[in-house]
């Protein structure tokens, strides 16, 4: 019982942190000429949860974060972009993590790249146009760079608290 309460507290705390990170990111517009490109600070939480608890817990917190952030700070279109990018990113990171062949940094980079691919697919479907494919090289580069940053931060968090949490998960 105490173990499940502690796990719920950790998941709630991580969800709150992800919401705050998402909000902070909306306060500082970051524009490189690529529509929708963001660092994705809240993805640190998704990566950390995947490593510490697993896919199911990371997915639950991801979905809660997206729903709360959309209701509080953005709109329905951003919901679709966030949902597609977040779920595809988490799924790819889960697969790469499951193989045990890749470092956490590589897993994060793949998450960053596929997050952008998921959002690009939504834009292509929503606008019924393939013109957005021209953004792909820039989005991949941005996904790699943000994946490196997120991966480094996620690795630090995992090294500091991950093993303690993993024992309980």
């Amino acid at each position: 019982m105490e173990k499940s309460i502690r796990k719920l507290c950790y998941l709630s705390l991580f969800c709150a942190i992800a919401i705050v990170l998402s909000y902070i990111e909306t306060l500082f517009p970051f524009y490189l000429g690529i529509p929708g490109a963001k660092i994705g600070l809240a993805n640190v939480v998704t990566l950390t949860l995947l490593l510490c608890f697993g896919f199911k817990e990371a997915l639950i917190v991801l979905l809660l974060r997206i729903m709360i952030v959309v209701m509080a700070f953005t709109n329905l279109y951003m919901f679709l972009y966030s949902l597609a990018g977040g779920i595809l990113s988490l799924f790819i990171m889960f697969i790469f993590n499951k193989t045990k062949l890749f470092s956490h940094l590589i897993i994060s980079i793949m998450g960053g790249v596929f997050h952008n691919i998921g959002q690009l697919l939504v834009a292509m479907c929503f606008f019924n146009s393939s013109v957005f494919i021209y953004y792909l090289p820039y989005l991949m580069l941005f996904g790699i760079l943000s994946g490196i940053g997120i991966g480094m931060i996620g690795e630090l968090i995992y090294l500091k608290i991950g093993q303690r949490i993993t024992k309980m998960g």
Side-chain angles (χ1 to χ4, degrees):
M1 180 72 156
E2 181 183 324
K3 193 175 181 180
S4 62
I5 292 172
R6 187 173 295 164
K7 181 178 177 180
L8 182 61
C9 288
Y10 270 114
L11 294 176
S12 301
L13 180 63
F14 276 115
C15 188
I17 291 168
I19 293 165
V20 169
L21 290 173
S22 292
Y23 176 68
I24 288 171
E25 202 162 25
T26 65
L27 295 177
F28 301 103
F30 187 75
Y31 186 69
L32 289 174
I34 305 169
K38 293 192 305 183
I39 296 170
L41 296 174
N43 294 328
V44 169
V45 172
T46 303
L47 176 65
T48 303
L49 288 173
L50 177 64
L51 298 175
C52 293
F53 289 104
F55 181 81
K56 182 178 80 172
E57 291 83 355
L59 179 63
I60 290 168
V61 171
L62 173 79
L63 293 174
L64 281 171
R65 174 192 46 102
I66 290 171
M67 286 189 288
I68 291 169
V69 167
V70 165
M71 287 188 293
F73 311 119
T74 64
N75 56 46
L76 180 62
Y77 300 116
M78 293 310 295
F79 172 74
L80 297 173
Y81 289 116
S82 297
L83 189 63
I87 289 176
L88 183 58
S89 171
L90 176 59
F91 185 70
I92 293 298
M93 289 192 301
F94 170 71
I95 290 170
F96 272 68
N97 189 46
K98 197 77 168 158
T99 66
K100 304 289 184 203
L101 297 174
F102 302 97
S103 70
H104 296 157
L105 186 63
I106 297 298
I107 293 167
S108 177
I109 291 169
M110 296 308 296
V113 168
F114 277 89
H115 194 282
N116 288 339
I117 289 172
Q119 291 184 329
L120 185 67
L121 292 172
V122 167
M124 290 171 64
C125 290
F126 185 72
F127 291 103
N128 197 23
S129 173
S130 62
V131 71
F132 296 101
I133 201 75
Y134 294 111
Y135 286 117
L136 185 60
Y138 304 106
L139 289 172
M140 289 183 74
L141 176 62
F142 198 76
I144 290 168
L145 294 176
S146 64
I148 290 170
I150 297 300
M152 289 169 48
I153 296 168
E155 182 69 16
L156 287 172
I157 294 169
Y158 182 72
L159 290 174
K160 291 287 183 187
I161 64 171
Q163 279 130 16
R164 216 172 326 142
I165 293 173
T166 305
K167 289 178 187 171
M168 139 178 53

